[in-house]
């Protein structure tokens, strides 16, 4: 007596798998009368128990998809010259964009600080002020860039914003730089005139508003007020007496 064998059978259920971005595991049921092997086309989709003989099951494990783009893979089930295809799709994560820290403080002398970007999209960073320049201010995915502040020679603190944006998302980094201490110097600090008088120029180096005054009427000042660096003129009239004259110019501000 001879009895023929049944034809080789190999089916998989389900034939389509969908995963959320966070990943997970799903089970595939194999109905077969032969030995079979399952393989994955992508490294992010791994198989557990992916070989057997006759009926059985195996598990398909998807890792987390941190990108905004969906992923696809194919599981191929083969045996006895038969093939079954299982199509796999994994959703992409929502766009993410964060910058750390969200506030930076600089001393008046300036300097550089690093901002860290955590993202799964392309992004660009821009500065609202010319005194704060950015290096490496664009990228895709995680990255860093540098914000450099020039020296603030004024006594007033100043502010700026760095805006990191991409795919409709925005992160703001608030920047503050301290003002310098008030400075006020005059050069020269001694003036000598001949009896006939004349004019001499005083140079002021300062980061504040200042005013110059003369203690004597025979010594008059031109341009004796300003803000920041500047100059003014001290003019002595003719001294017709035999006695030398003295005066004091007082420069004050802040």
């Amino acid at each position: 007596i001879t009895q023929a064998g049944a034809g080789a059978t190999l089916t998989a259920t389900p034939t389509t798998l969908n995963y959320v971005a966070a990943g997970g595991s799903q089970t595939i049921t194999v109905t077969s009368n032969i030995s079979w092997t399952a393989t994955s086309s992508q490294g992010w989709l791994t198989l557990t128990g992916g070989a057997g003989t006759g009926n059985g099951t195996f598990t398909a494990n998807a890792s987390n998809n941190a990108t905004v783009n969906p992923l696809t893979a194919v599981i191929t089930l083969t045996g006895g010259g038969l093939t079954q295809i299982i199509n796999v799709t994994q959703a992409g994560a929502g766009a993410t964009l964060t910058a750390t820290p969200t506030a930076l403080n600089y001393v008046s002398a300036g300097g550089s600080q690093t901002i860290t970007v955590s993202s799964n999209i392309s992004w660009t960073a821009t500065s609202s002020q010319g005194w704060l320049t950015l290096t490496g201010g664009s990228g895709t995915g995680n990255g860093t860039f540098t914000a450099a502040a020039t020296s603030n020679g004024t006594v007033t603190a100043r502010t700026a914003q760095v805006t990191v944006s991409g795919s409709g998302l925005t992160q703001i980094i608030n920047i503050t730089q301290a003002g310098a201490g008030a400075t006020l110097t005059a050069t020269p600090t001694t003036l000598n005139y001949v009896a006939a008088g004349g004019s001499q120029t005083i140079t002021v180096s300062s980061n504040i508003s200042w005013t110059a005054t003369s203690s004597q009427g025979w010594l008059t000042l031109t341009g004796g007020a300003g803000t920041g660096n500047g100059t003014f003129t001290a003019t002595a009239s003719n001294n017709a007496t035999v006695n030398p004259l003295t005066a004091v110019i007082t420069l004050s501000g802040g």
Side-chain angles (χ1 to χ4, degrees):
I1 300 171
T2 302
Q3 184 179 19
T9 60
L10 181 65
T11 59
T13 307
T15 56
T16 301
L17 297 177
N18 295 298
Y19 291 86
V20 296
S25 296
Q26 296 189 54
T27 299
I28 296 93
T29 299
V30 178
T31 302
S32 180
N33 59 2
I34 55 176
S35 295
W36 49 267
T37 302
T39 57
S40 168
S41 66
Q42 300 296 331
W44 58 267
L45 186 72
T46 59
L47 307 181
T48 303
T53 299
N55 298 333
T57 62
F58 66 95
T59 303
N61 312 292
S63 60
N64 178 58
N65 179 11
T67 73
V68 294
N69 300 315
L71 302 176
T72 59
V74 172
I75 297 172
T76 303
L77 189 64
T78 58
L82 302 178
T83 300
Q84 284 283 290
I85 298 297
I86 302 164
N87 293 301
V88 182
T89 302
Q90 183 176 23
T96 60
L97 180 64
T98 59
T100 308
T102 56
L104 295 177
N105 295 298
Y106 291 84
V107 296
S108 61
S112 296
Q113 297 191 56
T114 298
I115 294 96
T116 299
V117 178
S118 298
S119 182
N120 59 3
I121 57 175
S122 296
W123 50 267
T124 302
T126 57
S127 169
S128 65
Q129 300 294 332
W131 56 265
L132 186 75
T133 57
L134 307 181
T135 302
S138 62
T140 299
N142 298 332
T144 61
F145 64 94
T146 303
T150 60
S151 175
N152 181 8
T154 72
V155 293
T156 305
R158 58 188 181 183
T159 60
Q161 283 189 332
V162 173
T163 302
V164 185
S165 58
S167 296
L169 301 178
T170 300
Q171 286 281 290
I172 299 296
I173 303 162
N174 293 302
I175 312 294
T176 302
Q177 184 177 25
T183 61
L184 181 64
T185 60
T187 306
T189 56
T190 301
L191 298 177
N192 294 297
Y193 291 86
V194 297
S199 295
Q200 296 189 56
T201 299
I202 295 93
T203 299
V204 178
S205 297
S206 182
N207 59 3
I208 56 176
S209 296
W210 49 266
T211 302
T213 57
S214 170
S215 66
Q216 301 295 331
W218 59 265
L219 186 70
T220 57
L221 307 180
T222 303
T227 299
N229 299 331
T231 60
F232 65 94
T233 303
T235 303
S237 60
N238 178 58
N239 180 10
T241 72
V242 294
N243 298 316
L245 302 176
T246 61
V248 172
I249 297 171
T250 302
L251 188 66
S252 60

